[in-house]
Amino acid sequence: MSMPTTYDPKAAEQKWYEYWLKGGYFKAGNKKDAQPFTIVIPPPNVTGMLHIGHALDFTLQDIIIRSKRMQGFDALWLPGSDHAGIATQTKVEQKLREEGVSRYDLGREKFLEQVWDWKEHYANTIRGQWAKMGLSLDYSRERFTLDEGLSKAVRRVFVKLYEQGLIYRGKYIINWDPAARTALSDIEVEYKEVQGHLYHLQYPLQDGSGSITVATTRPETMLGDTAVAVHPEDERYKHMIGKMLVLPIVGREIPVIADEYVEKEFGSGAVKITPAHDPNDFEVGLRHQLPQITVMDESGKMNEHAAQYQGLDRADCRKQIVKDLQEQGVLIQIEDHVHQVGHSERSGAVVEPYLSTQWFVKMKPLAERAIEAQKTGKGVHFVPDRFEKIYLNWIENVRDWCISRQLWWGHRIPAWYCEDCGHVHVASEDATACSSCGSANLKQDEDVLDTWFSSALWPFSTLGWPEQTDDLQRYYPTSVLVTGYDIIYFWVARMIFTALEFTDNIPFKDVLMHGLVRDSEGRKMSKSLGNGVDPLEVVEKYGADAMRFMISTSGTPGQDLRFRWERVEQARNFANKIWNASRFALMNLEGFNYEEIDISGKLGTADRWILHRLNETARDITRLMDAYEFGETGRVLYNFIWDDLCDWYIEFSKISLYGTDEAAKKKTQSVLAYVLDRTLRMIHPFMPFISEEIWQHLPHDGETITLAAWPTYDAQFEAPDAVREMTLLMDMIRAVRNIRAEVNVPMSKKIELLVKPTDAGTETNVTNNLEYVERFCGTSKLEVSQQVSAPNKAMSAVVTGAELFLPLAGLIDIGQEIARLEKEVEHLTKEVERVDKKLSNEGFMAKAPEKVVEEERAKQRDYSEKRDKVIARIAELKEA
């Protein structure tokens, strides 16, 4: 039962994680009669190492699943990872470039072999990091978004949506990443404020009767202009509508058209229309049947439609065309202009609005069902609830989703084109013959699906859908999703509408949105700033438990948190406090067995008080954890363990443990063993390693604390009288120790203490616990009586229920004591005034519950009584 002097996190972490895995304690399905509780992990991308944001996300999930497992649920936490199409392919292509090779040199098949090797390496790395963090994942059910079963689910969804007319193929303006050479969805575009220019160009009328001035931030796109639009009611241009303009440099004639899209009050009231390079212009072009001229290729270079600028990068083209327009005299003004420019979330390249043939999901019909579910109370419960409005706002205004990507890594689109008759064949199984003409001359679509398409199915595809598996029947819908607020559109919304469409149910009951982990200055962590934190570095320095406790209890739901190394150190110190308290307990439980624990019958005041506080703590943290208030849970646990258990109860227990009363000693041993056992169970979800290490040393029942029953509220432990007694004793002890410190009287020097209780009940309480007062106040003489008279030369203190006097002849300066008491009067007066102000506030009195008002009145009486007693004592000292 003996424990080492200090806790060694590294040894404990490796030992216990291997023990848990070997014992199969994380596997779900062992409690057939228990209520299921399911979390599917937000799958990390196999692009590299996990970061501190992952550590927060995964720790919160582990806290939830460990506590639910202990509460008797059949708890499943399903692990997995995401293929992350663009991100992973970009990483592998970068690696190949460093080796002097491109994916085109290798070909599709060989390139994919390289990516699978990359995936295996980083999937193993991620598993290693999960282990270091102590995550209680059911590895027997691990999934990957390109697994065969998940691929089957993806194809089933694609085909069904296609058959319903909700997936279609068309030529539209999409977001194009010229670096990765692929389409992007709207939410994969990050808008950044850029200092640019607004170029004012003059387009002459073909008949020589005048010109129209237009403004653009992108003069290189003018090469694709096919019209200039004005508002139909703009008097300035009515006579020009239908006339032809001459496009500068190119010389092509383009019409002046009327369209209500144009704001006649903005700028010149005329806008150039480039249907192939602007989404709004594209819509205008469709209405007026304008040609669509693409002037760039997929890499962002000017193509054959760009006249003499062919082959130039778009940025270089802009410089050259500005120069040429100036020489022609049609560039009449350049003004500075700050505007929002879209950038690729993955490559960082400036996004190009690009006319391209892509696959799309028609979102409105899918969104309508999700909106209805949310508004009729059958939807997902968001925590915090403000995110429901954000979710609804997006899904109510959703646009069609571009789902095709010009990549090789991912779920290849299950569409085949007949080379003979042109028929498009979409099917769940690979096609071998055209379903229209029977030809075997088929070619599969080269593109893959957006990563988020497969991720949208994650809550049910991981459980075996489209097969009606036992796991799907038992664990779906899942219980809670824990994720960052930054992917509410990317992922959360898409999972909801997909699940409703294909399972007729929501994918999870709750969704807990947490914030981002920022640096100590509140900045977002990034490579460019060099302020990122590696969670394994934190574990290496301070241990997994310290990292977990710090990161999970440092914020509130939905809010960003700041990472501070000093807070990790504080969490490590907290772990050491628990360790040292447990060592003391074990040294005093020598030969004590679990079966001997008996907390019935007569118990001392301190014993009854700590059981009451344990009971309150178990009740409070269960309630707080069910509300996902982990920061507040951490505060409650910390205060109970550090203050109540370690600083007070363990000190009080020494009287019985070191005394000669064997019966009292046995009772205290029972209480100490019981309280420590339950305390370790409550801290276990946050600090799994140190709690297991200590618990295994303690007298215990069971193989692992992981499966130990969760402490629950028990009415038999309610002891308000013990709380009152202990509160008085602790106040007295603090007051005496404060006085000792103030006059520099060490605890080794015995003192005389006079206690004047305010009533008979308080006198009885103190008298019944004299041994505590004598030991922890260090008294040589102790008198407790309502008839106590205050000595002339004494330090004094007032606590609720009693006055304390410490005769300190020769050690006290009466003048200093009067000055101290006058400061105390000043403090108490401010408190009285503060409460008086609150109670005289009509708004407070009208809105506050009666209980709160009564509490304030009690404070008013207490502060007033204390002040009056201190004022009386000052008068006594002045007389002396």
mmCIF file of all heavy atoms in Angstrom, residues 13 22 25 64 69 180 244 339 390 409 478 501 589 591 682 727 758 839:
data_model
loop_
_atom_site.group_PDB
_atom_site.id
_atom_site.type_symbol
_atom_site.label_atom_id
_atom_site.label_comp_id
_atom_site.label_asym_id
_atom_site.label_seq_id
_atom_site.Cartn_x
_atom_site.Cartn_y
_atom_site.Cartn_z
ATOM 1 N N GLU A 13 1.507 6.751 -16.706
ATOM 2 C CA GLU A 13 0.712 6.893 -17.926
ATOM 3 C C GLU A 13 0.875 5.687 -18.849
ATOM 4 O O GLU A 13 -0.110 5.132 -19.346
ATOM 5 C CB GLU A 13 1.090 8.192 -18.642
ATOM 6 C CG GLU A 13 0.553 9.417 -17.920
ATOM 7 C CD GLU A 13 1.213 10.718 -18.314
ATOM 8 O OE1 GLU A 13 1.981 10.734 -19.294
ATOM 9 O OE2 GLU A 13 0.967 11.733 -17.620
ATOM 10 N N LYS A 22 -5.410 -3.646 -22.407
ATOM 11 C CA LYS A 22 -5.355 -5.100 -22.242
ATOM 12 C C LYS A 22 -6.642 -5.625 -21.606
ATOM 13 O O LYS A 22 -7.143 -6.702 -21.958
ATOM 14 C CB LYS A 22 -4.142 -5.487 -21.391
ATOM 15 C CG LYS A 22 -3.906 -6.985 -21.305
ATOM 16 C CD LYS A 22 -2.641 -7.292 -20.508
ATOM 17 C CE LYS A 22 -2.407 -8.798 -20.415
ATOM 18 N NZ LYS A 22 -1.185 -9.116 -19.612
ATOM 19 N N TYR A 25 -11.283 -2.323 -21.187
ATOM 20 C CA TYR A 25 -12.217 -1.514 -20.399
ATOM 21 C C TYR A 25 -12.894 -0.407 -21.208
ATOM 22 O O TYR A 25 -13.886 0.172 -20.756
ATOM 23 C CB TYR A 25 -11.502 -0.907 -19.188
ATOM 24 C CG TYR A 25 -10.878 -1.941 -18.287
ATOM 25 C CD1 TYR A 25 -9.538 -1.855 -17.902
ATOM 26 C CD2 TYR A 25 -11.626 -3.025 -17.812
ATOM 27 C CE1 TYR A 25 -8.966 -2.798 -17.067
ATOM 28 C CE2 TYR A 25 -11.059 -3.979 -16.979
ATOM 29 C CZ TYR A 25 -9.726 -3.866 -16.621
ATOM 30 O OH TYR A 25 -9.161 -4.813 -15.798
ATOM 31 N N ILE A 64 -16.500 13.350 -20.711
ATOM 32 C CA ILE A 64 -17.910 12.957 -20.803
ATOM 33 C C ILE A 64 -18.043 11.439 -20.819
ATOM 34 O O ILE A 64 -18.830 10.859 -20.062
ATOM 35 C CB ILE A 64 -18.557 13.562 -22.068
ATOM 36 C CG1 ILE A 64 -18.592 15.091 -21.976
ATOM 37 C CG2 ILE A 64 -19.977 13.021 -22.252
ATOM 38 C CD1 ILE A 64 -18.965 15.780 -23.280
ATOM 39 N N ARG A 69 -19.510 6.226 -18.477
ATOM 40 C CA ARG A 69 -19.154 4.807 -18.269
ATOM 41 C C ARG A 69 -19.257 4.472 -16.785
ATOM 42 O O ARG A 69 -19.774 3.417 -16.397
ATOM 43 C CB ARG A 69 -17.731 4.576 -18.791
ATOM 44 C CG ARG A 69 -17.327 3.107 -18.906
ATOM 45 C CD ARG A 69 -15.904 2.982 -19.411
ATOM 46 N NE ARG A 69 -15.780 3.327 -20.820
ATOM 47 C CZ ARG A 69 -14.973 4.272 -21.297
ATOM 48 N NH1 ARG A 69 -14.232 4.989 -20.471
ATOM 49 N NH2 ARG A 69 -14.905 4.514 -22.590
ATOM 50 N N ALA A 180 -4.163 24.556 -55.875
ATOM 51 C CA ALA A 180 -4.509 23.136 -55.755
ATOM 52 C C ALA A 180 -5.241 22.617 -57.002
ATOM 53 O O ALA A 180 -5.441 21.421 -57.154
ATOM 54 C CB ALA A 180 -5.394 22.912 -54.528
ATOM 55 N N MET A 244 -23.911 49.306 -79.059
ATOM 56 C CA MET A 244 -22.703 48.487 -78.918
ATOM 57 C C MET A 244 -21.535 49.350 -78.456
ATOM 58 O O MET A 244 -21.357 50.489 -78.907
ATOM 59 C CB MET A 244 -22.361 47.805 -80.234
ATOM 60 C CG MET A 244 -23.470 46.914 -80.790
ATOM 61 S SD MET A 244 -23.951 45.562 -79.680
ATOM 62 C CE MET A 244 -22.538 44.460 -79.861
ATOM 63 N N HIS A 339 -10.644 46.119 -49.921
ATOM 64 C CA HIS A 339 -11.790 45.247 -50.153
ATOM 65 C C HIS A 339 -11.490 43.831 -49.671
ATOM 66 O O HIS A 339 -10.340 43.482 -49.360
ATOM 67 C CB HIS A 339 -12.191 45.243 -51.634
ATOM 68 C CG HIS A 339 -11.103 44.791 -52.579
ATOM 69 N ND1 HIS A 339 -11.322 43.899 -53.588
ATOM 70 C CD2 HIS A 339 -9.783 45.105 -52.654
ATOM 71 C CE1 HIS A 339 -10.204 43.694 -54.253
ATOM 72 N NE2 HIS A 339 -9.262 44.407 -53.702
ATOM 73 N N ILE A 390 -27.131 30.925 -35.139
ATOM 74 C CA ILE A 390 -26.084 30.972 -36.167
ATOM 75 C C ILE A 390 -26.297 29.851 -37.183
ATOM 76 O O ILE A 390 -26.202 30.062 -38.400
ATOM 77 C CB ILE A 390 -24.700 30.862 -35.503
ATOM 78 C CG1 ILE A 390 -24.438 32.078 -34.600
ATOM 79 C CG2 ILE A 390 -23.596 30.717 -36.544
ATOM 80 C CD1 ILE A 390 -23.222 31.958 -33.719
ATOM 81 N N TRP A 409 -7.178 12.054 -54.572
ATOM 82 C CA TRP A 409 -7.317 11.437 -53.244
ATOM 83 C C TRP A 409 -8.706 11.726 -52.709
ATOM 84 O O TRP A 409 -9.063 12.870 -52.426
ATOM 85 C CB TRP A 409 -6.256 11.998 -52.303
ATOM 86 C CG TRP A 409 -6.323 11.567 -50.869
ATOM 87 C CD1 TRP A 409 -6.551 12.374 -49.804
ATOM 88 C CD2 TRP A 409 -6.139 10.252 -50.328
ATOM 89 N NE1 TRP A 409 -6.520 11.663 -48.630
ATOM 90 C CE2 TRP A 409 -6.265 10.348 -48.912
ATOM 91 C CE3 TRP A 409 -5.883 9.009 -50.882
ATOM 92 C CZ2 TRP A 409 -6.144 9.257 -48.070
ATOM 93 C CZ3 TRP A 409 -5.756 7.913 -50.046
ATOM 94 C CH2 TRP A 409 -5.884 8.043 -48.658
ATOM 95 N N THR A 478 -26.504 9.313 -31.965
ATOM 96 C CA THR A 478 -25.483 9.457 -30.937
ATOM 97 C C THR A 478 -25.950 10.468 -29.883
ATOM 98 O O THR A 478 -26.936 11.184 -30.080
ATOM 99 C CB THR A 478 -24.148 9.899 -31.554
ATOM 100 O OG1 THR A 478 -24.279 11.216 -32.096
ATOM 101 C CG2 THR A 478 -23.721 8.934 -32.660
ATOM 102 N N GLU A 501 -32.257 13.137 -43.747
ATOM 103 C CA GLU A 501 -32.665 12.607 -45.044
ATOM 104 C C GLU A 501 -32.508 11.093 -45.126
ATOM 105 O O GLU A 501 -33.358 10.398 -45.691
ATOM 106 C CB GLU A 501 -31.835 13.281 -46.162
ATOM 107 C CG GLU A 501 -32.158 12.822 -47.564
ATOM 108 C CD GLU A 501 -33.560 13.238 -48.023
ATOM 109 O OE1 GLU A 501 -34.111 14.215 -47.472
ATOM 110 O OE2 GLU A 501 -34.096 12.576 -48.939
ATOM 111 N N LEU A 589 -3.598 4.076 6.923
ATOM 112 C CA LEU A 589 -4.553 3.004 6.636
ATOM 113 C C LEU A 589 -3.849 1.651 6.588
ATOM 114 O O LEU A 589 -4.343 0.702 5.979
ATOM 115 C CB LEU A 589 -5.267 3.277 5.299
ATOM 116 C CG LEU A 589 -6.219 4.473 5.266
ATOM 117 C CD1 LEU A 589 -6.716 4.727 3.846
ATOM 118 C CD2 LEU A 589 -7.407 4.244 6.202
ATOM 119 N N GLY A 591 -2.897 -1.838 6.989
ATOM 120 C CA GLY A 591 -3.655 -2.999 7.437
ATOM 121 C C GLY A 591 -5.154 -2.835 7.374
ATOM 122 O O GLY A 591 -5.900 -3.723 7.782
ATOM 123 N N MET A 682 -14.425 11.025 -8.710
ATOM 124 C CA MET A 682 -14.917 12.272 -9.302
ATOM 125 C C MET A 682 -13.850 12.961 -10.139
ATOM 126 O O MET A 682 -14.151 13.594 -11.152
ATOM 127 C CB MET A 682 -15.420 13.215 -8.204
ATOM 128 C CG MET A 682 -16.693 12.736 -7.518
ATOM 129 S SD MET A 682 -17.429 13.974 -6.426
ATOM 130 C CE MET A 682 -16.205 14.088 -5.116
ATOM 131 N N THR A 727 -17.972 25.317 10.336
ATOM 132 C CA THR A 727 -17.787 26.688 9.841
ATOM 133 C C THR A 727 -17.309 27.584 10.980
ATOM 134 O O THR A 727 -16.377 28.384 10.803
ATOM 135 C CB THR A 727 -19.103 27.229 9.248
ATOM 136 O OG1 THR A 727 -19.511 26.380 8.170
ATOM 137 C CG2 THR A 727 -18.928 28.657 8.733
ATOM 138 N N THR A 758 -22.049 33.968 21.334
ATOM 139 C CA THR A 758 -23.208 34.869 21.387
ATOM 140 C C THR A 758 -24.436 34.202 21.995
ATOM 141 O O THR A 758 -25.360 34.881 22.423
ATOM 142 C CB THR A 758 -23.570 35.366 19.974
ATOM 143 O OG1 THR A 758 -23.778 34.223 19.139
ATOM 144 C CG2 THR A 758 -22.485 36.245 19.410
ATOM 145 N N LEU A 839 -30.346 46.612 -0.926
ATOM 146 C CA LEU A 839 -31.692 46.397 -0.387
ATOM 147 C C LEU A 839 -32.599 47.615 -0.574
ATOM 148 O O LEU A 839 -33.824 47.495 -0.490
ATOM 149 C CB LEU A 839 -31.606 46.040 1.103
ATOM 150 C CG LEU A 839 -31.006 44.651 1.403
ATOM 151 C CD1 LEU A 839 -30.807 44.463 2.898
ATOM 152 C CD2 LEU A 839 -31.891 43.537 0.849
#
